[in-house]
């Protein structure tokens, strides 16, 4: 094991003749002493890999499985594939990978799509803004990686908590139906991102009622309409259940639409949508990974679509309630049936949801109630949610030997600037 001390749990037996390559950690460190840039990348990658080992084995870890359904073993560590780690590496490392990838895949080459809509420097800017990572994939082609950590909170009747959209400054509702979640930032493990989602956002009032059950990874590959570049969408989903009865959440005070609201006002609102095929319900289900809409998608490790036609009754038969974040921004949520959630992610479903929410009004009283609910919640500091990671990274860096952090930063920035000038 290059990145940590490891006790092997089994034996590897060759079924036919093969070659075995042994790489020793001490030899690797010696070899990298004269290659500061590569050494820096190896150090930060090794530290990130080791953090994932600790997260998978930690006493407070949620049960983790990789895409094949396997837990940590001699052969694999959940969520430790290189393209899963890259978006969480320090910005200088991500920029270096992106600059080299863009440089080695010029527009005239087979690896760069002829229909690419963005100049390489614009794509490098996307990396700098934290929107994606860029690398050369196993097929030697340019690939963007978009990563997100999402919460799938299910109540006892099978309905799932869904974010429907946010209230803009002009009072209009910006509709975007998806599971609540966030993109990982530099140095953040999936667990750290999830702690931030449930303790540091508008979901904080529900945090104590969330009981995690399992964590899975969903992956989709497609060609982005916006950039015309192959893009891998990676979503780490934390599955959870309510640990208290729904009534104890006291969400009724901020309901702004649905049966409860209509019963009080005497209003009704309905839009009936017929989904004529299974493709209509599931074909675009992964488009909520981010703001992009892939023009073609290959889905792996996703629930199989139903084999028969289905009809989703899309009249507003679910309550819509408001939650406020620390800046008093209002977000709309609802408990949706899985079929409704999948449908509202599609283009036709989004339009239907826009029509359903057109009559919803968030009053000043509801805003005030939502803000007060948050103020009564103790928002936990997420920076210490998984303490000890910094020491792990320092230990890994120290083991590599040589060079200060400042020297490495200056060298990497020089490398990035040099490669960028040739794009």
């Amino acid at each position: 094991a290059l990145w940590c001390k490891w006790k092997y749990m089994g034996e590897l037996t060759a079924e036919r003749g093969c070659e075995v390559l042994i790489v020793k950690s001490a030899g690797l460190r010696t070899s990298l002493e004269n290659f500061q840039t590569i050494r820096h990348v190896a150090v930060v990658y090794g530290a990130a890999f080791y953090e994932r080992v600790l997260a998978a084995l930690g006493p407070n870890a949620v049960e983790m499985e990789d895409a094949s359904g396997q837990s940590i073993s001699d052969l694999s560590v959940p969520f430790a594939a290189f393209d899963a780690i890259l978006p969480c590496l320090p910005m200088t490392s991500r920029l270096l990978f992106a600059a080299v990838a863009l440089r080695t895949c010029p527009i005239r080459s087979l690896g760069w799509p002829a229909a690419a809509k963005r100049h390489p420097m614009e794509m490098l800017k996307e990396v700098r803004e934290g929107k994606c990572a860029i690398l050369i994939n196993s097929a030697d082609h340019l690939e963007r990686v978009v990563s997100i950590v999402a919460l799938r909170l299910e109540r006892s009747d099978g309905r799932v908590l869904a974010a429907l959209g946010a209230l803009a400054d002009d009072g209009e509702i910006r509709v975007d139906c998806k599971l609540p979640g966030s993109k990982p930032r530099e140095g953040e493990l999936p667990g750290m991102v999830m702690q931030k989602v449930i303790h540091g956002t508008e979901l904080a009032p529900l945090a104590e009622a969330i009981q995690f059950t399992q964590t899975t990874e969903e992956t989709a590959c497609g060609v982005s309409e916006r950039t015309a570049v192959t893009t891998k969408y990676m979503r780490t989903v934390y599955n959870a259940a309510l640990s208290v009865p729904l009534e104890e959440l006291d969400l009724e005070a901020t309901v702004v639409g649905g049966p409860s609201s209509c019963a009080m006002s005497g209003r009704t609102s309905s839009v009936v949508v017929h989904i004529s095929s299974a493709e209509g319900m599931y074909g675009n289900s992964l488009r909520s990974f981010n703001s992009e809409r892939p023009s073609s998608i290959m889905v792996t490790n996703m629930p199989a679509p139903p084999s028969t036609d289905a009809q989703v009754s899309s009249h507003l038969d679910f309550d819509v309630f408001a939650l406020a974040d620390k800046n008093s921004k209002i977000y709309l949520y609802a408990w949706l049936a899985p079929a409704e959630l999948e449908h509202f992610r599609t283009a036709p479903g989004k339009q239907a949801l826009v029509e359903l929410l057109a009559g919803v009004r968030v009053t000043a009283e509801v805003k005030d109630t939502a803000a007060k609910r948050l103020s009564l919640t103790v928002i936990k500091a997420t920076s210490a949610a998984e303490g000890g990671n910094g020491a792990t990274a320092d230990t890994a860096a120290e083991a590599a030997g040589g060079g200060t952090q400042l020297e490495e930063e200056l060298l990497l920035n020089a490398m990035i600037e040099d490669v960028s000038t040739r794009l």
Side-chain angles (χ1 to χ4, degrees):
L2 290 176
W3 315 118
C4 60
K5 294 182 180 180
W6 187 265
K7 180 178 180 180
Y8 293 100
M9 307 301 294
E11 295 181 355
L12 180 65
T13 303
E15 296 182 349
R16 54 182 178 272
C18 62
E19 295 182 357
V20 177
L21 175 65
I22 298 177
V23 180
K24 294 185 178 180
S25 57
L28 178 63
R29 289 198 299 271
T30 301
S31 300
L32 294 178
E33 287 179 356
N34 296 324
F35 302 93
Q36 290 294 309
T37 304
I38 300 176
R39 170 192 166 281
H40 172 86
V41 172
V43 168
V44 295
Y45 169 79
F49 183 92
Y50 186 36
E51 287 177 344
R52 280 156 174 75
V53 173
L54 296 180
L57 297 176
N60 298 321
V62 178
E63 181 181 353
M64 300 177 72
E65 293 183 349
D66 61 17
S68 63
Q70 300 296 318
S71 58
I72 188 170
S73 68
D74 289 338
L75 301 178
S76 66
V77 175
F79 315 126
F82 178 73
D83 51 9
I85 290 179
L86 179 58
C88 305
L89 293 183
M91 179 57 69
T92 49
S93 299
R94 282 178 281 160
L95 286 171
L96 182 61
F97 271 102
V100 171
L102 292 167
R103 172 60 182 164
T104 55
C105 277
I107 295 177
R108 63 181 179 273
S109 75
L110 179 64
W112 184 285
K117 300 179 181 180
R118 296 213 163 197
H119 187 276
M121 288 304 296
E122 292 184 44
M123 298 185 66
L124 199 61
K125 181 181 178 183
E126 281 194 342
V127 176
R128 193 180 298 273
E129 293 174 349
K131 294 180 179 179
C132 68
I134 297 177
L135 50 75
I136 302 296
N137 62 19
S138 57
D140 291 329
H141 287 177
L142 191 72
E143 182 174 273
R144 297 169 67 250
V145 178
V146 178
S147 180
I148 193 168
V149 179
L151 170 67
R152 185 182 179 87
L153 178 61
E154 186 174 314
R155 68 187 196 187
S156 58
D157 61 358
R159 286 184 169 265
V160 178
L161 182 67
L164 303 182
L167 190 66
D169 293 338
D170 59 6
E172 296 296 321
I173 299 173
R174 301 290 185 261
V175 175
D176 183 17
C177 185
K178 59 186 178 181
L179 295 176
S182 177
K183 288 184 178 180
R185 296 182 179 179
E186 180 178 322
E188 289 185 336
L189 294 171
M192 298 167 67
V193 178
M194 184 49 53
Q195 288 299 314
K196 180 177 66 177
V197 168
I198 65 173
H199 290 296
T201 70
E202 68 277 4
L203 294 181
L206 311 182
E208 298 304 320
I210 297 174
Q211 182 177 359
F212 292 108
T213 56
Q214 190 180 41
T215 308
T216 56
E217 188 177 62
E218 300 172 353
T219 303
C221 295
V223 177
S224 169
E225 287 183 352
R226 188 165 57 85
T227 63
V229 174
T230 299
T231 303
K232 178 180 287 186
Y233 304 90
M234 306 182 66
R235 185 169 70 171
T236 302
V237 181
Y238 277 73
N239 298 280
L242 280 179
S243 60
V244 301
L246 182 62
E247 295 74 18
E248 292 187 17
L249 296 180
D250 191 29
L251 299 174
E252 294 82 0
T254 55
V255 169
V256 294
S260 298
S261 177
C262 291
M264 291 184 292
S265 64
R267 294 181 289 107
T268 60
S269 177
S270 65
V271 176
V272 179
V273 177
H274 178 69
I275 301 174
S276 60
S277 67
E279 192 278 333
M281 184 185 300
Y282 285 82
N284 298 321
S285 62
L286 292 182
R287 292 188 178 181
S288 64
F289 275 19
N290 69 343
S291 60
E292 301 174 7
R293 292 187 176 180
S295 57
S296 60
I297 278 190
M298 175 186 69
V299 181
T300 60
N301 193 38
M302 293 295 291
S307 58
T308 59
D309 288 358
Q311 178 173 329
V312 176
S313 176
S314 294
H315 63 279
L316 200 55
D317 59 354
F318 49 82
D319 284 338
V320 178
F321 56 93
L323 294 175
D325 67 6
K326 60 183 179 181
N327 297 318
S328 297
K329 185 176 179 64
I330 297 296
Y331 296 86
L332 301 183
Y333 281 81
W335 296 96
L336 300 181
E340 292 173 323
L341 174 59
E342 296 299 330
H343 174 59
F344 288 143
R345 288 175 171 180
T346 67
K350 180 177 181 179
Q351 182 56 41
L353 187 57
V354 168
E355 295 177 16
L356 287 173
L357 298 180
V360 170
R361 295 292 179 266
V362 182
T363 65
E365 182 181 358
V366 168
K367 293 179 182 178
D368 185 58
T369 301
K372 286 181 178 178
R373 174 185 288 150
L374 182 70
S375 67
L376 295 175
T377 303
V378 178
I379 302 179
K380 299 179 180 178
T382 57
S383 59
E386 295 189 32
N389 292 328
T392 301
D394 292 342
T395 302
E398 183 180 352
T404 66
Q405 182 177 356
L406 178 59
E407 291 172 345
E408 291 174 346
E409 292 291 325
L410 292 174
L411 179 61
L412 286 169
N413 285 325
M415 281 285 296
I416 294 167
E417 183 176 356
D418 177 61
V419 177
S420 299
T421 57
R422 305 180 200 177
L423 293 178

